[in-house]
Amino acid sequence: MDKEKYLTYILEETTKILSIDSPSGFTKKAASYVMQEYEKFGYKPTQTVKGGVICEIGGEGNALFMEAHMDTLGAMVCDINANGSLKLSPLGGMNPNNAETENCMIYTREGKTYSGTFQLKNASIHVNGEFNKTERTFDSMEVVLDEKVFSKEDTLKLGIMTGDVVCFDPRTRITESGYIKSRFLDDKLSVGILLGFAKYVKEEKINLPRKVYQHITVYEEVGHGGAASIPDEVTEVLSVDMGCVGEGLTCSEHQVSICAKDSRGPYDYDVVSNLIAAAKNANLDFAVDVYPYYGSDADVALVSGHDVKHGLIGSGVYASHGYERSHKDGVWNTFRLLTEYLHN
Ligand SMILES: [Zn+2]
């Protein structure tokens, strides 16, 4: 297998998708990009009513549904302050501490875009004696627009209103040493990996041992990404989502994480065992962990009433829901686990 070719493709795709703002509820552009990418390979993807992308990539029988989500954290304007700045309400688990001083874009319903910065109110440390003591919340913080506005009226005149979507700069960087740093690697890194797998199956003419669908979901960050659109013939749902890295867990950014249990409960015993066996068989650098605060699209498939087995794997991602970090090694181990798990 040409490692350089597939790893390069995955990282290029990840970078492109990261550059398309797509918080939950604002994913149309990302979806059309993903559709085009599948079509380039000669696949026939379809769009779900709520905006996800489903693509059958080959094989027959005992269908596996592979999922990664293209929606990310973000925010929505919920009020315009008297000084013309914006009050935000989070989309998904966007944490105000993690977004402080980040640049952002505001997309109005009329198609205009404006830039701004998410700051603590009264953010000059030479003026605000309480700067260090103030808790960062969506009430204590605001978006300062890069426009000459001094009042609520000034901002309204720009066409900005409650309900406008706010997207934070992903600040994507890939270092010489192989680290991938960006917001929203959760889960655009896995979207890149799934596209890489689709490319691999097509270009290497892989004979899959079972039918495989890929579902690039939306609304995962708000809890119902994987709830619908699972074909009746599917017997297994495999989420490819960020692997947890942190104290008490064994995974690093260099490994593929196999999740045995998350906060909703255990993953299917056989699926987890088979993933571990596949990782061992291919001599992959992997970790098995229990995630303390986590839920996935695969969990949601079961919660929504589908009778399927479920699993979860992903490249190790540190500082999740903040300025996240992974590594090329973790990406490669994840890609290889997919190819090993689905080889004839
Ligand atoms: Zn995720």
Side-chain angles (χ1 to χ4, degrees):
M1 194 188 305
D2 187 343
K3 177 173 176 179
E4 202 48 44
K5 169 176 152 184
Y6 289 107
L7 194 52
T8 302
Y9 172 78
I10 290 168
L11 295 178
E12 278 173 6
E13 284 311 304
T14 300
T15 305
K16 281 183 201 161
I17 297 163
L18 281 163
S19 75
I20 306 171
D21 289 329
S22 62
S24 303
F26 194 67
T27 48
K28 273 188 198 165
K29 268 187 233 157
S32 23
Y33 179 79
V34 169
M35 287 284 286
Q36 276 173 28
E37 227 23 60
Y38 281 119
E39 281 160 1
K40 268 190 209 162
F41 299 134
Y43 290 116
K44 297 201 163 33
T46 53
Q47 258 194 285
T48 66
V49 176
K50 76 177 183 184
V53 174
I54 291 184
C55 186
E56 192 186 318
I57 61 168
E60 281 306 322
N62 192 21
L64 173 80
F65 208 53
M66 224 180 242
E67 300 194 294
H69 63 93
M70 63 182 143
D71 65 305
T72 70
L73 309 178
M76 194 174 258
V77 176
C78 66
D79 201 5
I80 298 168
N81 299 317
N83 66 355
S85 70
L86 309 177
K87 184 178 180 192
L88 300 186
S89 172
L91 291 171
M94 189 85 213
N95 186 314
N97 292 291
N98 273 325
E100 184 170 13
T101 74
E102 191 59 276
N103 286 305
C104 56
M105 295 298 293
I106 298 92
Y107 290 81
T108 75
R109 304 257 165 188
E110 289 172 337
K112 288 186 195 154
T113 54
Y114 294 100
S115 66
T117 313
F118 192 52
Q119 298 274 20
L120 183 71
K121 289 179 177 172
N122 197 15
S124 300
I125 203 156
H126 298 89
V127 177
N128 181 356
E130 298 297 305
F131 184 91
N132 286 319
K133 290 183 212 140
T134 310
E135 190 187 347
R136 272 54 174 170
T137 69
F138 285 99
D139 290 323
S140 67
M141 299 179 74
E142 63 186 1
V143 171
V144 179
L145 288 165
D146 301 328
E147 299 291 330
K148 208 168 176 182
V149 292
F150 301 100
S151 67
K152 182 169 182 167
E153 250 174 28
D154 290 343
T155 298
L156 286 169
K157 268 189 216 147
L158 297 174
I160 292 173
M161 60 187 278
T162 293
D164 286 349
V165 172
V166 179
C167 304
F168 295 92
D169 188 342
R171 272 193 293 135
T172 307
R173 308 265 192 286
I174 300 178
T175 68
E176 283 291 319
S177 51
Y179 286 96
I180 307 152
K181 304 194 294 179
S182 183
R183 290 183 184 280
F184 317 134
L185 292 180
D186 171 15
D187 189 27
K188 290 181 167 177
L189 187 55
S190 309
V191 175
I193 293 170
L194 260 57
L195 286 171
F197 185 78
K199 178 184 170 76
Y200 161 78
V201 167
K202 186 60 89 175
E203 294 184 0
E204 312 295 329
K205 300 186 174 65
I206 300 297
N207 221 337
L208 292 165
R210 56 197 293 197
K211 185 180 273 190
V212 176
Y213 290 95
Q214 291 189 340
H215 183 198
I216 309 302
T217 68
V218 291
Y219 293 108
E220 192 277 345
E221 293 291 4
V222 295
H224 62 82
S229 310
I230 303 177
D232 287 342
E233 60 181 325
V234 168
T235 56
E236 182 178 333
V237 174
L238 179 64
S239 266
V240 183
D241 206 335
M242 47 143 291
C244 291
V245 173
E247 278 180 21
L249 275 63
T250 58
C251 192
S252 79
E253 296 101 310
H254 300 265
Q255 293 174 303
V256 53
S257 176
I258 299 172
C259 181
K261 173 185 179 287
D262 66 18
S263 41
R264 287 193 194 246
Y267 282 87
D268 180 84
Y269 193 85
D270 295 331
V271 171
V272 174
S273 302
N274 292 339
L275 286 164
I276 294 170
K280 280 185 178 165
N281 194 42
N283 268 322
L284 303 180
D285 194 3
F286 74 102
V288 180
D289 273 314
V290 169
Y291 299 173
Y293 308 105
Y294 199 101
S296 72
D297 275 334
D299 289 318
V300 170
L302 285 146
V303 171
S304 61
H306 295 276
D307 183 19
V308 292
K309 292 175 183 291
H310 67 322
L312 167 66
I313 64 167
S315 184
V317 170
Y318 184 59
S320 51
H321 284 191
Y323 189 49
E324 300 167 339
R325 189 177 87 149
S326 192
H327 190 274
K328 284 178 183 179
D329 295 346
V331 173
W332 185 246
N333 282 306
T334 306
F335 176 80
R336 283 284 293 112
L337 180 52
L338 288 177
T339 61
E340 191 66 23
Y341 190 59
L342 288 162
H343 99 115
N344 243 327

